Amino acid sequence: MKAQITNREIWNIALPIMLGNMAQTIINFTDTAFLGHIGVIALGASMLAGLFYYVFTTIAAGFAIGIQIIIARRFGEKNYSRIGIIFEHGSIFVFILGSILFSILYFFSDHLLLWLIDSPNIYDASLDYIKYRQFGIIFVCFNFLYRGLYVGISNTKVITYSTIIMAFVNIFLDYCLIFGNFGFPEMGIGGAALASFIAEVSAFVFFTLYSYITMRNKEFGLFKIHKLEPELMGRILRISTPTMIQKLFSFSVWFIFFVLIEKMGETATGISSITRSIYMILITPCFAFATTTNTVVSRTIGEGHADQVYSIIFKILKNCLLCTIPIVVLVAIFPVQIARIYTNDINLAYLVIPSIYIICSGTIFQGIGNAFFEAVSGTGNTTAALFLEAIILIIYIVFIWMMTHLTTNVHWVWTAEILYGALLGMFCIIYMKFAKWDKKRI
């Protein structure tokens, strides 16, 4: 039986996850920073097409969280031989899922984007982006699965290595393919998408080779053929399906957020593209500590210490805020300088400033809300987590719709992030306080 988790253990898990989460953040930052120097059309298209793509990947992310919860529970129970079997069943599902998602993107992207986007210029550029990016979705699905495995067994440093590889590949190829440097073709927004696709493949190749070399002979039983267990697959899906729906619902609403903003005009879309990129950097530590909360809560319950869960959540949250607040303060002090990274247009840079102040506040609320939300998921009560967030997202999308119709200032629409974080924290704290989550068996 293991004692209360220490601050050092929290950071040993959270820091590599934080760096791992930076993979998509770096891709977004690099794409936005380079494309911002082309113009607001490229900015808006990369944001909307990128979000459209991520809506599909979130289904795999939700499934991987379910795998992560189960693996963490078996790891806490020291039932290591089951981990490889769980991962193998997850791989079968992920391959089928990835193939279905690719087919939808390949055959229906043009129709869906035409229905969602008003600006013909942004629509054309979005198609140019998706036609390259869609080929990476199967690799992304497996990357999420690998992340779920390594977070579940608390070996998160591997995620750091994959992030470094992914970031290097993406930055280098962005520079080459967007602008046509080093003899590469000048592809603009299509080059950003192609660079991201190759970066995602590179991360998959690394994860697979690393796992095969370091883990095939260990007690986890990876890369061995196991008998298919329908009962196990059913249990995985019972845990994972609510998180898949929750992630799909959550990110779809986030996508709708930007679709509604796009209808406010190309300038509002450009402002929000820059704001989103900065926001993704700010909340990266929040998501990392939230993921840490998920796996530590599940592992702690598996070790038989359900009574320590509440104190562990607050300890992780304290570390999250200690990490997040200095970054938020720095961004709030230098908003113009940070906005200028993304654009040569000084007027656009100044228009972004009010939104930056809003997301600085929103980041704190998101840190608190996501920590408690992932604690709910970590207990194995993924259906409860889905129900709680569904209620909040309905309020969130109604608020966004109202704001886009009541104001022409896009920064007021961004206050929805403060509302979302505050409601998520409040609802989940009440759940953790009064629900009988410690009775859940997975």
Side-chain angles (χ1 to χ4, degrees):
M1 302 292 282
K2 196 174 181 300
Q4 180 75 269
I5 189 169
T6 65
N7 289 322
R8 181 170 182 173
E9 287 177 287
I10 291 170
W11 277 92
N12 283 342
I13 298 171
L15 186 57
I17 296 173
M18 197 182 307
L19 295 173
N21 288 347
M22 286 298 291
Q24 294 301 331
T25 303
I26 289 169
I27 285 177
N28 171 256
F29 170 80
T30 308
D31 289 355
T32 306
F34 284 145
L35 293 172
H37 295 278
I38 296 177
V40 292
I41 300 298
L43 267 178
S46 66
M47 178 186 72
L48 286 170
L51 286 168
F52 176 77
Y53 174 76
Y54 287 131
V55 165
F56 291 89
T57 67
T58 52
I59 302 173
F63 179 77
I65 290 172
I67 291 287
Q68 171 191 314
I69 292 168
I70 298 171
I71 287 177
R73 188 66 57 88
R74 299 293 90 82
F75 189 75
E77 295 167 351
K78 302 189 186 313
N79 190 2
Y80 302 133
S81 62
R82 295 296 296 172
I83 290 174
I85 299 171
I86 294 166
F87 183 80
E88 181 183 70
H89 282 66
S91 299
I92 294 169
F93 182 84
V94 158
F95 179 76
I96 296 170
L97 176 64
S99 300
I100 294 170
L101 293 176
F102 171 74
S103 299
I104 295 171
L105 282 170
Y106 187 83
F107 291 109
F108 300 107
S109 288
D110 52 346
H111 303 293
L112 292 170
L113 288 171
L114 181 61
W115 178 58
L116 292 166
I117 298 174
D118 284 352
S119 168
N121 294 325
I122 291 179
Y123 170 74
D124 290 338
S126 296
L127 284 185
D128 195 26
Y129 185 91
I130 284 293
K131 76 178 181 183
Y132 294 105
R133 195 70 192 275
Q134 63 193 356
F135 292 100
I137 194 159
I138 294 179
F139 300 100
V140 171
C141 290
F142 274 98
N143 289 343
F144 277 126
L145 184 65
Y146 276 119
R147 284 167 57 85
L149 166 67
Y150 284 109
V151 172
I153 64 174
S154 300
N155 183 15
T156 51
K157 66 179 184 295
V158 183
I159 301 171
T160 304
Y161 304 149
S162 72
T163 301
I164 292 171
I165 294 169
M166 198 171 180
F168 176 80
V169 171
N170 188 73
I171 292 170
F172 175 73
L173 290 179
D174 260 356
Y175 182 73
C176 294
L177 293 170
I178 292 175
F179 303 112
N181 293 312
F182 299 126
F184 284 82
E186 183 179 345
M187 298 175 64
I189 190 172
L194 181 58
S196 299
F197 159 63
I198 296 172
E200 288 162 350
V201 173
S202 69
F204 168 76
V205 170
F206 166 77
F207 269 132
T208 303
L209 290 176
Y210 181 94
S211 301
Y212 183 77
I213 292 169
T214 63
M215 298 185 69
R216 73 181 188 276
N217 294 323
K218 290 189 176 180
E219 55 197 336
F220 298 133
L222 259 68
F223 298 101
K224 294 180 180 178
I225 298 175
H226 302 96
K227 181 181 177 182
L228 188 64
E229 302 178 21
E231 187 275 332
L232 173 60
M233 185 66 84
R235 197 175 338 128
I236 290 171
L237 290 175
R238 280 196 298 274
I239 297 294
S240 298
T241 299
T243 60
M244 291 163 65
I245 296 171
Q246 177 262 317
K247 288 294 180 183
L248 177 62
F249 188 23
S250 177
F251 211 89
S252 295
V253 169
W254 180 239
F255 178 60
I256 292 169
F257 174 90
F258 290 101
V259 169
L260 290 173
I261 286 176
E262 188 266 341
K263 299 182 189 307
M264 296 176 71
E266 292 175 352
T267 300
T269 307
I271 291 169
S272 292
S273 181
I274 294 172
T275 304
R276 171 182 171 256
S277 182
I278 298 169
Y279 191 38
M280 289 298 98
I281 295 170
L282 288 176
I283 62 174
T284 291
C286 300
F287 287 148
F289 282 100
T291 303
T292 302
T293 305
N294 183 301
T295 194
V296 170
V297 165
S298 184
R299 192 182 76 188
T300 300
I301 294 172
E303 291 171 350
H305 291 292
D307 59 305
Q308 296 184 5
V309 163
Y310 219 77
S311 62
I312 285 172
I313 297 170
F314 279 102
K315 182 175 283 190
I316 295 173
L317 181 57
K318 179 188 72 175
N319 283 279
C320 174
L321 294 177
L322 286 172
C323 179
T324 302
I325 290 174
I327 304 171
V328 167
V329 171
L330 186 66
V331 170
I333 292 172
F334 301 106
V336 178
Q337 291 83 350
I338 291 170
R340 288 300 303 274
I341 295 172
Y342 296 91
T343 179
N344 294 324
D345 186 339
I346 188 65
N347 292 324
L348 181 61
Y350 275 100
L351 288 172
V352 174
I353 292 174
S355 298
I356 290 177
Y357 289 139
I358 294 294
I359 60 172
C360 285
S361 300
T363 299
I364 304 301
F365 285 96
Q366 289 282 353
I368 298 169
N370 277 284
F372 278 94
F373 178 76
E374 290 297 337
V376 174
S377 294
T379 65
N381 288 275
T382 51
T383 302
L386 171 62
F387 179 73
L388 287 171
E389 189 169 27
I391 296 171
I392 295 165
L393 286 173
I394 292 169
I395 299 170
Y396 175 81
I397 198 66
V398 170
F399 179 83
I400 294 166
W401 184 87
M402 289 174 57
M403 294 305 292
T404 55
H405 286 76
L406 291 173
T407 181
T408 57
N409 296 315
V410 73
H411 60 271
W412 290 117
V413 183
W414 278 93
T415 59
E417 292 303 299
I418 298 175
L419 175 68
Y420 173 85
L423 289 176
L424 191 66
M426 182 176 68
F427 280 33
C428 292
I429 288 171
I430 292 170
Y431 178 87
M432 292 298 295
K433 191 75 174 176
F434 297 106
K436 299 186 182 301
W437 47 265
D438 55 326
K439 307 300 182 184
K440 180 72 174 179
R441 295 291 177 264
I442 64 174

